[in-house]
Amino acid sequence: MELLTTLFIGYPVWVWAMFFTFVIGLLAFDLGVLHKEQHEISVAESLKLSAFYIAMGLLFGAWLWWYKGSTAGMEYLTGYLIEKSLSMDNVFVIALIFSSLGIPRLYQHRVLFWGILGVIVLRAIMIGLGAVLVAKYQGILVLFGLFLIFTGIKMLFSDDEHGSLEDNKFYKWLRSKMRFTPGLHEQKFWVRGEDHQLSKGWWATPLFLALILVETADLVFAVDSIPAIFAITQDPFIVYTSNIFAILGLRALYFALAAMVHRFHYLKYALSVVLVFIGVKVGLVYFNQTGLIDFKIPTALSLGVTFGLLLAGVLYSLWKTRDQSPT
């Protein structure tokens, strides 16, 4: 426990307090001001909100650059880019969940907003455990590297089909273990059965089912993204903050991205190369620490390669799909 506290704090308490205050303030502003009244989010509003969150994430990165130096700043930006890009595939899954459960756009923001709170807690636990493992067993960096290389190669040759929600085993298990109302009840997650001609007691709505599935999908994607950022830096503060700011911005961008996600088909090839590159980099980190070799990939080069590959993937995707219409 002492090791976990030392690693995960790693910074003065006021730094962590500032970060959480900043994030909570953003969420309060989002829910209490921008979305005080339930409404359907348009593509234009989604783009504006996303630009705002990206600006806040970059502002935090600029502060970190000033506070901890250029290396920490570049590590944060690289982690932010990787997490943002890897989460793109999550948009497919979230869109599948919403469409399969018949969740209208009017209530989707509510699911995504409350899902962020779960992400903040779950990512903290996973990153804390990862930091402990890296500190106690440096050899795990090699496993992270091999896992990223394997994931990158698998992504290169995988198709884009995500299957049907009805075939998902976890979805089937939830339906068998919990009571869900046949339809939605506006923006409510739970209702009393006796108020809706159902058996007495609390019933979960399809909106709550969507929330559980979105959180689970994020947990699955974190298995890829967290080792990727640990390959960039072993600083839990940078790993965690880059994760959270990237996810905040992506959830805001969802409503615009879901309508044009088909335009980013070729991004996965750039991502696969990035994962292989990062996997090699993390292996080199371990071999440098053990004194077996004396060759490091500079942080600035990692940021440049990551940004260049992802930008090329985005631009090539947009060019290749310029004549395609949404399916």
Side-chain angles (χ1 to χ4, degrees), residues 63-138:
W63 173 83
L64 187 63
W65 192 304
W66 170 81
Y67 178 67
K68 290 289 288 184
S70 59
T71 299
M74 286 187 286
E75 288 174 346
Y76 170 88
L77 289 175
T78 307
Y80 180 87
L81 277 174
I82 291 174
E83 173 61 39
K84 196 85 164 176
S85 303
L86 284 173
S87 297
M88 287 280 289
D89 201 38
N90 211 352
V91 173
F92 282 101
V93 177
I94 293 174
L96 173 65
I97 292 170
F98 284 152
S99 61
S100 298
L101 296 179
I103 308 298
R105 288 174 64 91
L106 179 63
Y107 303 132
Q108 289 176 7
H109 177 268
R110 177 172 171 80
V111 174
L112 295 175
F113 176 86
W114 290 106
I116 285 291
L117 300 182
V119 167
I120 290 173
V121 175
L122 292 174
R123 292 288 174 112
I125 295 171
M126 295 180 71
I127 290 170
L129 292 175
V132 171
L133 289 173
V134 170
K136 294 190 70 173
Y137 311 103
Q138 282 292 304

Side-chain angles (χ1 to χ4, degrees), residues 38-56:
Q38 192 83 24
H39 66 281
E40 184 173 319
I41 297 178
S42 65
V43 171
E45 183 181 355
S46 174
L47 291 172
K48 290 177 183 177
L49 188 59
S50 179
F52 169 73
Y53 274 117
I54 289 173
M56 293 300 101

